[in-house]
Amino acid sequence: MKLGLLAAASVLAFSAAQADGLKDSIAADLPSLMDIYRDLHSNPELSGEEVRTAAKLAAEAKRLGFKVTEKVGGTGVVAVMENGEGPTVLLRADMDGLPLEEKTGLAFASRVQAKTRQGNDTFVMHACGHDTHMTGWVATARQLVARKAEWSGTLVMILQPAEETGEGALAMLEDGLYTRFPKPDYALAFHDAAGVPAGYIGYAPGFALANVDSVDIQVKGIGGHGAYPHTTKDPVVLASRIVGSLQTLVSRELDPQDPAVVTVGSFQAGSKHNVISDDALLLLTVRSYGDDTRAQLLDGIKRIARGEAIAAGMPEDRMPVVTLREAEFTPATYNSPEFSVEMASIFETRFGKDRVVQSKPVMGGEDFSRYGRADKNIKSMIFWVGGVPMAEYQASLAEGTKLPSLHSSFWAPDAEKVIATGAEAMTAATLQIMKK
């Protein structure tokens, strides 16, 4: 009986995986890894507050023989292992959770509560899968230490804080990541995915994730009684015009082949039915890939806000104020194309072509991008590892049920498959790059 092409590819991949014993080694370690995962999942910490998490994993890296430095860029951890001549490879995992109440129903669900930077009480949850990333990081470290005879070079494994706020990578770089520690030739990371079956891998050569900007527009008006609008300059009407005109930035000013998003996520104005307020506030998220496109969008937002105010007859001293939140900017993630294809080939050989899929870029953001942008000679790649339990994925296709997304209170990935697949892929890629 002849096997189909996909089945044959899977058999070859299985044979390759069995030959080096990596898959079996990770499987044997899974009980211990899942203990770590459940502990991390039950005890999430907000961005910049990852004190317990960092200490727990730093201790694990020390036990494995890494030279460990803590409190890099806040709560970041850098673990270095030198093993002869060869390339320097950076492997990253992010640590922070989200201000969200968990509703997964898991026996080890988070019940943690904390205060936000604004002083508000909140529940905390690993709703973006960073607990799987960290556990996969531990699994990869264990495998690479056990296989030191197979590789040569310098391994730099980092635990990054504050990915969710877009601050952590920059904070670590500004705290000397590339000067106090060996600068990498390669940088790798993986992220769980909420739209892909568990254990499948997605990759995107070139742009993979977007520039993310947060923009505030303070729309000034001249308030008064709602019954006498002619005596006012209504900021709600002006802000509404601005919202409508902003949509033309993408639909009429950009090349249709150049993706971008301008979303007004919040419109705040007024306090009573019959009062025209003095001002309104618009909060925007702006997404793009190229730096030139980003500049065009940001300049266009300022132009439109001012132009609509002039058309509304606003005096010069009541022009809108546009504020770009530079501290929250996350640059686009660009996967080195040739390097990404090479790594994908390794994954295909190991997992089979049916489980490794070239995916489209998305408009989400990831500050992993900064590690490659800090030095254009670094070859970098972040890839996706599917987390949706297969039964749920198949049911969603058959019945049209909606799957929980990342950042959902209900997101509960198939952690064993995410961790095992992510660790096997990261280890295999690193062994190939640093092969003796």
Side-chain angles (χ1 to χ4, degrees), residues 140-163:
T140 302
R142 289 178 177 180
Q143 292 301 318
L144 290 171
V145 169
R147 297 164 185 270
K148 285 184 69 175
E150 301 176 28
W151 59 274
S152 182
T154 300
L155 190 59
V156 181
M157 299 193 68
I158 68 170
L159 294 162
Q160 180 201 305
E163 185 277 329

Side-chain angles (χ1 to χ4, degrees), residues 221-235:
I222 299 173
H225 199 297
Y228 314 110
H230 59 289
T231 66
T232 71
K233 293 288 186 182
D234 192 339

